[in-house]
Every structure is written in structure tokens, then in C-alpha cells.
Amino acid sequence: MLAYLIRRLFAAAVMLVVIIMVVFGIFFLVPKWAGVDIASSFVGKQADPAAVEAVRQKLGLSDPIYSQVWEFFKGIFTGRTYSGGGDVTHCSAPCFGYSFRSEQAIWPVLTDRFPVTLALALGAALLWLLFGLAAGVLSALKRGSFWDRGAMVVALAGVSLPVYFTGMIALAVFAFGLDWLDAQYVPLADSFTGWLGGLILPWITLAFLYAAMYARITRATMLEILGEDYIRTARAKGLREPVVIRKHAMRSTLTPILTMLGMDLGALIGGAILTESTFNLPGLGQAVLNAIKTQDLPVILGVTLITSLAVLIANLVVDVLYAVIDPRVRLA
Amino acid sequence: MTAPLHEPTAEAAPSAAEEAAVAGAEAKAVQGRSLGRIAWERLKRDKLALTGGIVVLILVAVALLAPVITGLLGQDPNEYHEDLIDPLFGTPVGSLGGISGEHLLGVEPVNGRDILARILYGARISLLVGFLSAVVAVILGTVLGILAGFFGGWVDSLISRIMDGLLAFPQLLFIIALVSVMPNDMLGLHGTGVRVFVMILVIGFFGWPYIGRVVRGQTISMREREYVEAARSLGAGRFYILFKELLPNLVAPIIVYTTMMIPTNILTEAALSFLGVGVKPPTASWGQMLSSAIEYYESDPMYMVVPGVAIFITVLAFNLFGDGVRDALDPKASR
């Protein structure tokens, strides 16, 4: 188990380096190839040349890319001072960049907004695993029944509906039509029930899409496994059906589901961005969208980096869980 | 039976035809059906999949003929009809978002553009990006997957790691980041053209690992089969084996994954346009219509229902058809 852990940690570290290279490639190399002046997009669309030159100096944009990346990383640990064009801006550690559009450091923006996205993603993941697995297993056990068909029709609709459309319908029906909920985000520190009320529709909306996907996959996997020889053996040796399902079939069903979960964590961030935008939640996704509208690249860079990190860590957790459920994985 | 290559002489003709007919009957008696034939016969029995397929064909026709259809209806996707808008609230006059004989699906709030015309034009963007990005993904995925599976060793490790990494990436975020640093003019394209081009490339790029993994797995399971060994013992080169022996056997899974990938790509395009990094206004796209509809979900709900349902029907049709194709091509698949 220890060797496995070390291997996974090493792989994660490699992945981290790759992610950093890709992120910086996107923000520093791609514009160069495409012929975009990054300094002017840091300043804004109607920037005057002096301001553009100042930003170019402050950010060291004419330096080679490796020294820019190095400055960025040094900033995370020691803080960073931007000087150029006559004024000096300080960004204290951990400095994840500084937005010259909104004149604020990125790190506080990230720490402000991360909890919202995390709460949305975790709550939705919990709901979809619970309902997706339950619906899939029940459908597989009662194959061809009314329940099975109904669940699969709903699941097919679920994977075919864009999450923001479901969200808008949910808003129109539950928040506006029936007036059950106040679709307004309230910070957890202010009021627990308010927080719950504000997040319940986003949770259900986001979970619905994935629950549908997981129900379909769980059902298919479970059906395949129930046809395996070892299940017949388990039944033949006189085990009661619930034990066969729980101890033998479920365990094998969970392995591909966990693999999927690991892959979907990245996609979940995408779903969270769309959900945040639909429900007007002040999370990381909304920060990115606002940043796109104002061409505030440092914010996009910071969020991309921090979410990639979060996904990487979550993947590590999934890998460990994977090894717990399926001992063969540790040897592979 | 194929037509004879050279014209037979008058005398020989009847006997040749007779022989051909006899040979044909014999061949029919023993000849197995091709995979495509079997799949088609299974697909024909699958009512849901057929319905999905027909809807897909209709959608493609509608997208191709969008200018003709809107011309016949006498509507233009970018023409303002401000006379149909309530000046006080900015919403369309009349019930259900201003549905009338002239505007079959109503008009947009504020500027009164015809919704049906915009939906028809939006279909072009959705399908174009959906199909072409799937093509990009299939080409990349097939080539890299087959290389990884066939050569094994470090080639396999490298390609597999890249695939794992890409699959775990927060894709939408990276696509947003990439699109946001792209210029407005590029390679002779402008505005929406650039966005569409970038979306096709980027969505395709993030999609190839899904196909790559399947192709790799299939290649590994096939490369030690007898027929490959036979080809090798006859002195066939690597590339001959790759393209003449292995690739034809990969066609079925590739088709299945392509049909399943198109709806996902259509959803991604709609999501990007919804978020404002897809096609630029005034070009019509479904995602963008939904994003402007969000402000009117209380006062003009029809405005969000129409593009939402358009996306739903399109994606559902592709999903039904894709499920059917998978069941038809995969002998093990059961419902």
C-alpha cells in the first residue's frame, strides 16, 4: 500500500508540473503565437500606450517565459512587488498574481470564492452518488420492470439536458412559480438555513445530470457482473441474495464507478461554472466569467491554477479509495 | 453481382450470365453477412434508435437549408421587430412570447428578432461544431490510440499518461482560458469565424482521449491474434498491419464512440456560447439565446424554453441513435 501511495504521489507531482506548464503556456505562449499583445489585454481594451508599457514592465512581460514563471512561483512564497511606470504595487505572500484591472491581489479573491464552489461541488457529488448508484442498482435488480424503464427514461433525459437549462426551469418553477425558496446565496457564517436554501436548487440541478449518467453506467455494469460465474458460485454455495449483491456484486460495480468519478471531477468544475452562472452564486466560476468580460487575465490564470490543483488532490483521494476497494490496483 | 469489366461476346454472354447467376446463388447460400449488414438489420428493428436517426437527419437538413427555410417564411434572424415589443416591460406583446402566424415561435424581448429564424441558424453552429470537433477527436484518438496499443513500451506509457492527464483536467476551464486569449482576427477569419474554429480544435483536442483509450484497448487485444500473426509471417510491414489488418477491425468501436461524442460536443458548444466565450452576437446560437433568456425567466419564459428544447431534442436524438448503434454493432451488448 505504501509503495502504491508513493507511486501515486509521484504521478501527481508530475501532473502538477504538466498543469503548470500548460497553464502558463496558455497565458504566455499562445497569445505570442496568435499575435496578441498580452500587456494591452491586462490593461483593457481602450488602454493608452503608456499604461500598456507600465504593465509590461511591472509584470516583466518582455522577460523570457521561464523567468516570468519563476517570478510567479517566487511570489507565491515570498510575495511580489510590481514596479513600473512610476508606481509600485505590493502583493503579499501568497501572491497568485495581481489584477491591474480591478486593482486587487488574486489570492483574496480565490479564498473568498473557493468555499462556495467547494460546497456546491461536494453537495452535488454526494447527492448524485447516492441517487445515481441507488437508481442504477435498483434498475439492474428489477430489470425490465416499470421502475427500471421509468428510471432509464428519466436518466436519458437527464444526460440530454444542459445543466443551465434545468437550472433555469428549476428557478422558474420553484423560486418564481411556487415561491418555495429564495434563490439567493447566503454565506454559511450568516445563516445555516439561508445557506442551505440558497444551495439546494443548484445542488439538485448539478446532481441531476451526473446522477443520470451514473445510473446508466451503474445499471449496465451491475447487469454485466450479475452474469459472471463467481456470482453464480456465491449463490450456489447458499449465500442469501442480499449478501451476494452487497458483498460480491456491489464491490465489483464500484470499481468502474470510482474510475469515472476520478475522471468526472474535472468535468464537475465545468458543471459548477455553468451552475454558478445560472444561479448567480459567488464562486470561482463566476469570478472567471466576470474576468472574461473585463479581459482580466490574472484572475483567469489564478482560478485555472487553483482549480487544477483542487482536481489533482481530489484525484489522489479517489486513487487511494480505489486501492482500498480493489486490492489488485495496489500491485499494478 | 458486379458488372463484367469487359463486354462479353454475343455468344458467350448468356452462358457467362448464367454462370454468374449460379455462382451468385452459391455465394449467397454460404456467404456470411458483413458486419455492416448485420448492424443495419439490428438497427432497423430498434424503433427508438431509428426515430433518433431520423430526427438527426431532419436536423442536418434543417441546418443546411436554414437560409431557404427562413426565406420562405419571410423572416431574417437579425431583423428587429421593435413594434412587437411592449415598450414598458421590454417583453413581446401577445401571449406565449409573441407567437403569431408570422412569428411561429415568437420574438425575442427588447429587439423582437424572430426566434424560429434564430433557432434555425443556431442549428448550423451547433451541428458544425459538434461534427467537426468529433472528427478532430476521432483522427487524433485513432492515430494515437493505435500507436500506443501497437507499439507498447514507452510509447504506450507516454500516450496513456497524456490521456489520463487530459481526462482529469478541468476541461471547460481550460477551453474558456484558451478561447479568452485568442485574437479576434486569425488566419483570415474574423470574430465568430475565429471562435468557431478555435472551439472545433479545442473541443476536439480534449475529446480524443475518450476514443484513444478504447482504440488502444482494442488494439492491444487484437495485435496478438492469429490473423495478425499470419500477416506478419507473410512478411507484412508494420504499417500494412496497422492500416490494413487492425484499422478495419477498429471501425465499429470508432463509429460507436463518434456517435456518442457528437451530443457531448454539442452540449459543450452550447455551454461555451452560454458563458459568452462561444460565437459572438449577433450570430445566433442556442447557448447564447439561453444566456440572454436567463434575465427573462419570470417575464418571458417562452424565450428560454425554445432554445432549451432545441438543445434537448438534438442531444436526445443523437443519444438515442448512438445507443442504438452501439447495441447494433456490439454483439455482447444487451438492453
Side-chain angles (χ1 to χ4, degrees):
Chain A
M1 189 70 186
L2 188 67
Y4 171 78
L5 267 181
I6 291 172
R7 242 185 357 251
R8 293 318 308 174
L9 273 173
F10 180 71
V14 171
M15 199 56 206
L16 180 66
V17 173
V18 172
I19 285 177
I20 288 166
M21 273 162 52
V22 172
V23 171
F24 278 88
I26 288 178
F27 286 97
F28 293 99
L29 281 180
V30 172
K32 205 175 251 177
W33 294 330
V36 181
D37 185 8
I38 200 96
S40 59
S41 46
F42 271 104
V43 178
K45 277 184 180 132
Q46 286 88 30
D48 66 297
V52 173
E53 199 45 50
V55 165
R56 204 189 302 282
Q57 270 184 30
K58 277 180 188 165
L59 291 172
L61 289 177
S62 22
D63 295 349
I65 179 163
Y66 57 84
S67 81
Q68 291 183 45
V69 175
W70 172 244
E71 283 298 322
F72 188 92
F73 277 98
K74 221 169 68 184
I76 295 177
F77 299 102
T78 63
R80 196 171 170 186
T81 307
Y82 301 96
S83 58
D87 54 37
V88 176
T89 316
H90 185 71
C91 165
S92 51
C95 177
F96 271 77
Y98 188 90
S99 162
F100 288 94
R101 293 280 293 165
S102 51
E103 302 200 325
Q104 57 177 340
I106 306 299
W107 179 247
V109 177
L110 297 178
T111 48
D112 264 10
R113 288 165 175 271
F114 188 70
V116 181
T117 305
L118 187 70
L120 173 64
L122 276 184
L126 210 68
L127 278 181
W128 99 52
L129 281 177
L130 208 67
F131 286 97
L133 286 178
V137 169
L138 278 179
S139 284
L141 294 182
K142 299 191 185 302
R143 185 182 181 185
S145 67
F146 180 71
W147 157 262
D148 176 28
R149 287 191 192 168
M152 284 307 115
V153 167
V154 174
L156 189 64
V159 294
S160 307
L161 279 167
V163 64
Y164 40 91
F165 183 50
T166 345
M168 283 157 84
I169 292 176
L171 271 177
V173 173
F174 296 107
F176 178 67
L178 299 172
D179 204 13
W180 284 355
L181 293 157
D182 201 19
Q184 198 70 50
Y185 178 77
V186 182
L188 182 57
D190 290 3
S191 144
F192 177 70
T193 47
W195 177 79
L196 215 59
L199 275 174
I200 191 98
L201 279 185
W203 276 336
I204 294 175
T205 303
L206 185 52
F208 181 55
L209 164 73
Y210 289 99
M213 239 152 53
Y214 278 63
R216 277 160 66 95
I217 304 275
T218 309
R219 178 179 179 275
T221 318
M222 190 84 178
L223 280 178
E224 204 180 306
I225 284 163
L226 285 177
E228 298 268 343
D229 288 346
Y230 76 91
I231 296 292
R232 197 184 50 195
T233 312
R235 282 182 181 142
K237 71 182 181 189
L239 285 184
R240 284 180 307 120
E241 192 63 16
V243 180
V244 175
I245 301 297
R246 239 185 15 248
K247 289 222 160 149
H248 294 249
M250 269 313 275
R251 195 161 172 157
S252 316
T253 309
L254 279 179
T255 359
I257 301 290
L258 261 181
T259 319
M260 261 189 67
L261 187 64
M263 290 197 310
D264 284 340
L265 289 171
L268 174 62
I269 299 294
I273 294 177
L274 291 165
T275 313
E276 280 172 19
S277 147
T278 311
F279 289 94
N280 206 12
L281 296 173
L284 286 173
Q286 207 197 39
V288 167
L289 290 179
N290 292 338
I292 289 171
K293 284 186 194 119
T294 54
Q295 279 282 307
D296 199 347
L297 290 185
V299 175
I300 308 181
L301 197 159
V303 174
T304 312
L305 210 57
I306 214 83
T307 20
S308 309
L309 275 180
V311 169
L312 200 69
I313 293 168
N315 253 307
L316 211 57
V317 174
V318 169
D319 276 344
V320 173
L321 282 179
Y322 202 48
V324 171
I325 290 187
D326 187 353
R328 287 171 306 176
V329 170
R330 292 173 216 162
L331 305 170
Chain B
M1 281 278 101
T2 51
L5 289 173
H6 53 88
E7 283 212 15
T9 57
E11 266 176 298
S15 69
E18 237 171 42
E19 266 176 37
V22 172
E26 272 172 13
K28 219 173 210 167
V30 289
Q31 197 181 36
R33 291 171 303 168
S34 73
L35 179 65
R37 183 87 180 271
I38 298 172
W40 170 237
E41 270 164 22
R42 282 202 203 138
L43 198 61
K44 266 198 302 197
R45 285 198 300 270
D46 190 342
K47 291 285 178 307
L48 273 177
L50 267 192
T51 315
I54 290 167
V55 173
V56 166
L57 284 180
I58 293 173
L59 283 166
V60 172
V62 161
L64 288 174
L65 297 173
V68 180
I69 299 172
T70 49
L72 286 176
L73 293 168
Q75 294 299 336
D76 181 277
N78 295 320
E79 191 189 335
Y80 284 23
H81 301 278
E82 273 147 340
D83 50 315
L84 297 171
I85 301 300
D86 186 331
L88 200 59
F89 301 105
T91 50
V93 280
S95 56
L96 291 171
I99 287 184
S100 64
E102 215 163 309
H103 302 284
L104 296 173
L105 292 177
V107 293
E108 289 188 341
V110 181
N111 50 35
R113 288 180 295 196
D114 184 64
I115 290 183
L116 178 60
R118 293 185 71 72
I119 288 288
L120 292 177
Y121 272 87
R124 309 186 110 192
I125 301 279
S126 279
L127 295 180
L128 183 76
V129 175
F131 277 119
L132 290 186
S133 53
V135 170
V136 172
V138 167
I139 293 173
L140 276 174
T142 308
V143 171
L144 290 168
I146 220 173
L147 288 178
F150 188 69
F151 289 108
W154 66 268
V155 179
D156 184 23
S157 311
L158 181 70
I159 295 176
S160 296
R161 285 294 87 72
I162 294 175
M163 290 195 289
D164 289 348
L166 274 176
L167 286 172
F169 258 41
Q171 300 181 359
L172 195 66
L173 200 57
F174 275 83
I175 298 178
I176 291 174
L178 260 174
V179 176
S180 63
V181 296
M182 283 294 164
N184 210 17
D185 298 273
M186 197 172 80
L187 305 168
L189 295 166
H190 178 75
T192 293
V194 174
R195 292 287 184 87
V196 168
F197 179 72
V198 172
M199 276 197 289
I200 289 170
L201 285 189
V202 176
I203 297 175
F205 178 74
F206 279 105
W208 74 261
Y210 293 96
I211 298 208
R213 280 159 64 108
V214 177
V215 170
R216 173 184 170 270
Q218 289 280 323
T219 309
I220 288 177
S221 81
M222 286 189 316
R223 71 173 176 206
E224 306 302 334
R225 296 265 177 91
E226 287 87 346
Y227 68 90
V228 175
E229 210 172 309
R232 204 176 280 140
S233 65
L234 287 171
R238 275 179 173 174
F239 284 91
Y240 181 88
I241 292 175
L242 273 180
F243 291 103
K244 293 278 177 183
E245 302 287 344
L246 292 179
L247 198 56
N249 287 298
L250 291 169
V251 168
I254 290 173
I255 290 176
V256 170
Y257 274 81
T258 311
T259 42
M260 302 218 280
M261 178 172 271
I262 292 171
T264 320
N265 291 353
I266 289 177
L267 281 178
T268 312
E269 184 278 324
L272 289 172
S273 297
F274 175 79
L275 295 173
V277 291
V279 298
K280 290 190 168 176
T283 311
S285 88
W286 295 345
Q288 183 213 316
M289 287 175 86
L290 270 171
S291 88
S292 35
I294 199 163
E295 284 170 41
Y296 301 96
Y297 76 85
E298 295 171 41
S299 52
D300 183 13
M302 262 310 273
Y303 184 27
M304 77 174 197
V305 169
V306 176
V309 169
I311 297 176
F312 176 58
I313 291 176
T314 309
V315 175
L316 185 66
F318 271 105
N319 277 335
L320 285 174
F321 183 63
D323 280 1
V325 170
R326 184 195 54 206
D327 293 345
L329 282 174
D330 181 1
K332 274 192 299 185
S334 54
R335 273 176 179 268

